[in-house]
Amino acid sequence: MSNNKNKLVTVVDSTSEVGDFVTRALLKEGYKVRALTRNIESNAAKALKNLDAEVVKCSDTDSPANIQAALIDTEVIFYPTNFWSSFEKEVEYGIKFVDAALSVKTVKHYVFHGLISCKTVSNDKYSVPHFDLKYRVEQHLRKVSKENPTFISSFIYSPFYMQNFSSIFTPKRSTTTNGTYTISMPLEESKPLDMVDIKDIGPIVAGIVANPSKYSGVVVPLAGEKLTGDQICQVFTKVTGKQVKYNYIPPATFRTFAFPYANEIASMFQFFSEFGAFNDLDTTLASSIHKLTSLEDYLISTKFRFE
């Protein structure tokens, strides 16, 4: 840990859910952390400051000059692009940040939170922009690292977040059977779903930061647990004592739902059903860095309760 104190790690979008967990994990390991955020007066930013993070106002929407100024003396960058706030500009912002980082001579290691390219793996069968756009940023970053060997890049991929069971895919009380709940997703019944607890991203990033040469050019898939819809429901039943059943929604039906990006999410699940979240990547890497949380442990630790 003593060596870590000499290494400044800058976390971009530090007050996002992912950024917050990564910042906290790095601080716990003894790193100096500069936490970049759009709003330094937010409660989340103040909480990180109270943990001794250096909170600085900056985002990937800023000018290259502002980004470079925010990265002064930085040795490592963790950058999670956010499609849901930048949308089609995700590639523009992502490439701009990489190029700005390259011009800061102290930066030696760039850890990028990306996703697999659904278009590439499926041979253009499935287009999922919040996956595919990140991959375009990854391609640029890999090119920059190849042309500048002292500028190492590493990558982590996340699958379905377990936290989604408390938001878009929360179990719903059955309207026909008393005391029964259903989890409804456009995932084929026989196909397993890769899942991870967002909190696990922090220790994984810390492990990558600690071993830059080992993870140079490497993708670390965060494969926490892989369960079918029925198996997911069995875990919910075991932990909560409530009867939970799986309900498969055909993607064509899911696309008609009246919420933003239903069409894209349907395509994502079709991709998952056919290729999985990581296709042929080595899913053992993350667990060699940090013990990943099972769905059962996640539900217990968060004291999951039905609405």
Side-chain angles (χ1 to χ4, degrees):
M1 186 176 291
S2 59
N3 291 334
N4 294 349
K5 291 180 180 179
N6 297 320
K7 185 179 287 189
L8 174 60
V9 184
T10 293
V11 177
V12 185
D13 201 11
S14 63
T15 52
S16 66
E17 197 165 16
V18 170
D20 185 87
F21 285 131
V22 169
T23 300
R24 290 169 184 269
L26 291 167
L27 289 168
K28 185 178 179 181
E29 292 299 317
Y31 290 100
K32 294 186 294 184
V33 180
R34 181 174 294 155
L36 305 189
T37 181
R38 290 178 172 84
N39 180 9
I40 61 175
E41 298 301 326
S42 69
N43 290 336
K46 290 176 180 178
L48 293 179
K49 186 175 182 179
N50 289 339
L51 294 174
D52 291 330
E54 177 193 1
V55 178
V56 173
K57 181 177 175 59
C58 180
S59 80
D60 55 9
T61 63
D62 285 3
S63 69
N66 285 347
I67 293 171
Q68 290 162 12
L71 295 178
I72 288 175
D73 296 328
T74 295
E75 187 171 341
V76 184
I77 294 170
F78 172 70
Y79 180 43
T81 64
N82 187 350
F83 172 82
W84 307 108
S85 64
S86 54
F87 302 104
E88 296 299 328
K89 286 187 171 291
E90 184 174 25
V91 176
E92 175 189 334
Y93 295 156
I95 289 176
K96 177 179 62 176
F97 211 97
V98 169
D99 292 345
L102 179 64
S103 69
V104 179
K105 299 308 179 184
T106 55
V107 176
K108 304 299 181 185
H109 190 192
Y110 199 112
V111 183
F112 181 67
H113 186 200
L115 288 168
I116 202 166
S117 173
C118 298
K119 289 187 70 174
T120 301
V121 172
S122 70
N123 197 25
D124 289 329
K125 183 176 181 179
Y126 300 116
S127 174
V128 185
H130 75 281
F131 279 61
D132 298 320
L133 296 181
K134 285 179 176 60
Y135 186 70
R136 287 173 58 187
V137 178
E138 176 183 333
Q139 287 178 305
H140 179 73
L141 178 53
R142 285 186 180 277
K143 179 175 180 290
V144 168
S145 287
K146 184 177 180 179
E147 295 171 350
N148 302 271
T150 61
F151 188 83
I152 292 173
S153 54
S154 305
F155 308 88
I156 63 167
Y157 286 0
S158 295
F160 181 93
Y161 292 139
M162 293 175 184
Q163 281 76 2
N164 288 330
F165 290 121
S166 295
S167 56
I168 184 173
F169 293 109
T170 186
K172 302 294 185 183
R173 184 187 294 273
S174 172
T175 57
T176 58
T177 307
N178 289 336
T180 299
Y181 292 80
T182 60
I183 293 176
S184 300
M185 294 188 292
L187 178 78
E188 293 179 22
E189 294 97 323
S190 63
K191 304 296 185 178
L193 178 67
D194 286 290
M195 297 172 286
V196 74
D197 180 354
I198 294 178
K199 287 185 179 180
D200 286 336
I201 297 175
I204 297 297
V205 171
I208 293 171
V209 170
N211 295 278
S213 59
K214 180 177 181 178
Y215 295 105
S216 176
V218 175
V219 174
V220 178
L222 275 65
E225 190 156 28
K226 192 171 186 175
L227 301 173
T228 65
D230 284 340
Q231 290 170 331
I232 290 169
C233 292
Q234 289 168 14
V235 174
F236 272 88
T237 295
K238 178 181 178 181
V239 172
T240 66
K242 303 289 186 181
Q243 191 68 24
V244 184
K245 297 292 186 181
Y246 184 64
N247 175 43
Y248 169 60
I249 304 175
T253 301
F254 195 90
R255 293 178 198 280
T256 67
F257 290 174
F259 67 86
Y261 298 98
N263 183 65
E264 179 166 342
I265 293 172
S267 294
M268 178 186 76
F269 274 97
Q270 285 183 295
F271 179 85
F272 286 167
S273 292
E274 189 165 344
F275 299 99
F278 305 121
N279 193 32
D280 58 357
L281 293 172
D282 183 356
T283 56
T284 67
L285 292 176
S287 59
S288 70
I289 300 173
H290 170 76
K291 185 180 184 299
L292 299 176
T293 305
S294 68
L295 178 60
E296 180 176 344
D297 287 343
Y298 166 75
L299 295 176
I300 293 171
S301 66
T302 58
K303 298 180 172 59
F304 181 88
R305 294 291 183 271
F306 293 107
E307 295 178 348

